[in-house]
Amino acid sequence: MFADLKAVATDPILGLMAAYKEDPNPNKVDLGVGVYKDEQGHTAVLNCVKQAEALRLKQEDSKTYIGMAGDINFNLHMEKLAFGSSHKALLADRLTTAHTPGGTGALRVAAEFIKRANPDATVWVTTPTWANHISLFQAAGLKVKEYAYYDYETRGLNEEAMFADLAKIPAGDVVLVHACCHNPSGMDLTFAQWQRFTELAQERGFTPLVDMAYQGFGAGLDEDAAGLRHLADAVSELILCSSCSKNFGLYRDRIGAVTIMSQNSAQAQNVKTNLLSVVRSIYSMPPAHGAIVVSHILDSTELTALWYQELAEMRNRINSYRQLIIDKLAAQGVEQDFSFITRQHGMFSFLGLTKAQIAQLKTDYSVYMVDSSRVSIAGLNHSNIDYFAAAVASVLKA
């Protein structure tokens, strides 16, 4: 049965992780993996999480299943974080949420749900998009196409080409849009562009699928959800996939959520039965720990305030390094314009380097990034940024 299986190529990022770990260079720099790191290069457990976990250990009295929808209190908190506590869709019982094993689990559940709702739907993703998006939807048997998004020449949004593509998408198809901190480019829609996107969704009749993996990592919790909220005010249906990996630092606890916004509360009941049926067929019940930790944090005024503080510290550190990269490269005599880095948001940026330059950085300097020149800015700190800038300057001048 297994004799005819062929080896599958290693995911580029996972391969990069392995190469970095094996590199003996004490000055090596890892800019490939999309996890937040502090000034010591460590992905620490947030203090608010530690306190919530202590409370969970004290209060937990059972390990029984928590149901297919997961923790109901967590689900409500996630709806309020994303849509706002007074959004009309929430107040009208139009939202249906299931907590999932990470944001990836949310996307896979969404994919299977789309397949049930419209087996002929095509899912449209940005060019480029997160590397796993396409395979997730294809694994559910959905067709996937791309629409224009990032302009590699201007290092900005390919706005007119994007809206020209969106204007051709037929009703019944699904358009994935990143809520904030676009992965991999860091280039987000402005609010005016969100308004234009919303108008096209209404005119064309496609269903928006909003992937919000980094809420709070861009400009702030409410600011990062502004586009989603405007969209939800105008359209009758949408799908939201969210994650607590980054903003709560719960990477290995795998906690996310999928939310379906229906036209009305009666439709939402039908959506719920189908959504939970999808969950049952994939993993049956979600893990409890991460969801209950988040619930403990958001149930507590004190822990919520601590979370806001810690989230702001992570966001501000990343944002400060955007300008610092530009300054350090200029100090190395680099004349190329890197000002686009400060126009981007979140952990990632395209540096615009060639594959040959990226290979040289890896071979000669042990600076690791993916072949697209996407870097995780959180991988930089005060002990390695000068080395990084000197390495980049060297390959640019070669």
Side-chain angles (χ1 to χ4, degrees), residues 36 46 48 214-218 220-221 224 246-248 305-317:
Y36 177 81
L46 298 185
C48 63
Y214 300 92
Q215 186 182 7
F217 260 60
L221 286 165
D224 291 348
K246 280 76 179 178
N247 53 13
F248 285 91
L306 179 57
W307 176 55
Y308 288 167
Q309 175 189 328
E310 293 184 287
L311 179 58
E313 288 172 358
M314 292 189 288
R315 178 175 64 247
N316 293 337
R317 195 182 91 77

Side-chain angles (χ1 to χ4, degrees), residues 55-317:
L55 181 61
R56 169 161 166 70
L57 288 173
K58 181 179 179 181
Q59 293 185 350
E60 185 178 39
D61 60 2
S62 176
K63 291 289 188 181
T64 191
Y65 297 119
I66 59 173
M68 290 179 288
D71 185 74
I72 304 304
N73 191 43
F74 167 83
N75 292 344
L76 180 58
H77 277 306
M78 293 300 286
E79 292 173 357
K80 290 180 178 179
L81 270 180
F83 293 88
S85 58
S86 60
H87 194 276
K88 62 182 183 181
L90 190 153
L91 298 178
D93 293 324
R94 292 168 53 203
L95 301 180
T96 304
T97 300
H99 104 234
T100 58
T104 302
L107 286 161
R108 183 56 194 268
V109 169
E112 297 289 350
F113 179 83
I114 292 165
K115 186 70 173 177
R116 288 196 179 198
N118 181 8
D120 297 322
T122 294
V123 179
W124 296 78
V125 300
T126 61
T127 302
T129 194
W130 178 47
N132 213 19
H133 274 148
I134 294 175
S135 60
L136 277 167
F137 294 115
Q138 289 178 337
L142 293 166
K143 298 183 292 293
V144 181
K145 294 183 180 179
E146 299 181 33
Y147 64 93
Y149 189 84
Y150 185 73
D151 189 327
Y152 292 89
E153 295 297 322
T154 65
R155 309 285 195 266
L157 198 73
N158 196 358
E159 182 173 3
E160 293 310 314
M162 178 182 74
F163 287 115
D165 284 351
L166 291 173
K168 300 173 185 175
I169 295 176
D173 278 0
V174 175
V175 176
L176 186 147
V177 60
H178 300 229
C180 60
C181 307
H182 182 269
N183 182 0
S185 74
M187 184 56 60
D188 290 345
L189 300 179
T190 65
F191 190 71
Q193 289 162 344
W194 272 104
Q195 291 174 311
R196 193 172 173 186
F197 179 92
T198 300
E199 290 170 2
L200 278 173
Q202 292 174 296
E203 292 171 10
R204 299 298 301 172
F206 59 72
T207 301
L209 192 170
V210 183
D211 188 358
M212 188 157 64
Y214 300 92
Q215 186 182 7
F217 260 60
L221 286 165
D222 291 328
E223 294 88 342
D224 291 348
L228 164 69
R229 293 173 185 178
H230 174 75
L231 182 64
D233 283 338
V235 301
S236 59
E237 299 176 348
L238 64 76
I239 302 170
L240 170 67
C241 295
S242 50
S243 169
C244 298
S245 291
K246 280 76 179 178
N247 53 13
F248 285 91
L250 294 170
Y251 299 93
R252 67 174 60 171
D253 290 327
R254 309 308 300 133
I255 175 61
V258 57
T259 300
I260 313 295
M261 188 183 83
S262 305
Q263 292 184 12
N264 51 58
S265 59
Q267 186 190 71
Q269 292 303 311
N270 293 335
V271 163
K272 181 178 180 179
T273 60
N274 280 275
L275 185 66
L276 297 186
S277 176
V278 167
V279 166
R280 180 66 170 165
S281 69
I282 301 176
Y283 53 83
S284 189
M285 311 278 180
H289 182 76
I292 295 176
V293 166
V294 171
S295 287
H296 282 327
I297 292 170
L298 297 179
D299 282 340
S300 163
T301 302
E302 293 78 10
L303 289 183
T304 297
L306 179 57
W307 176 55
Y308 288 167
Q309 175 189 328
E310 293 184 287
L311 179 58
E313 288 172 358
M314 292 189 288
R315 178 175 64 247
N316 293 337
R317 195 182 91 77

Side-chain angles (χ1 to χ4, degrees), residues 327-341:
D327 295 342
K328 293 292 186 179
L329 289 173
Q332 291 289 336
V334 173
E335 296 181 357
Q336 184 175 328
D337 182 12
F338 281 91
S339 62
F340 61 87
I341 295 176

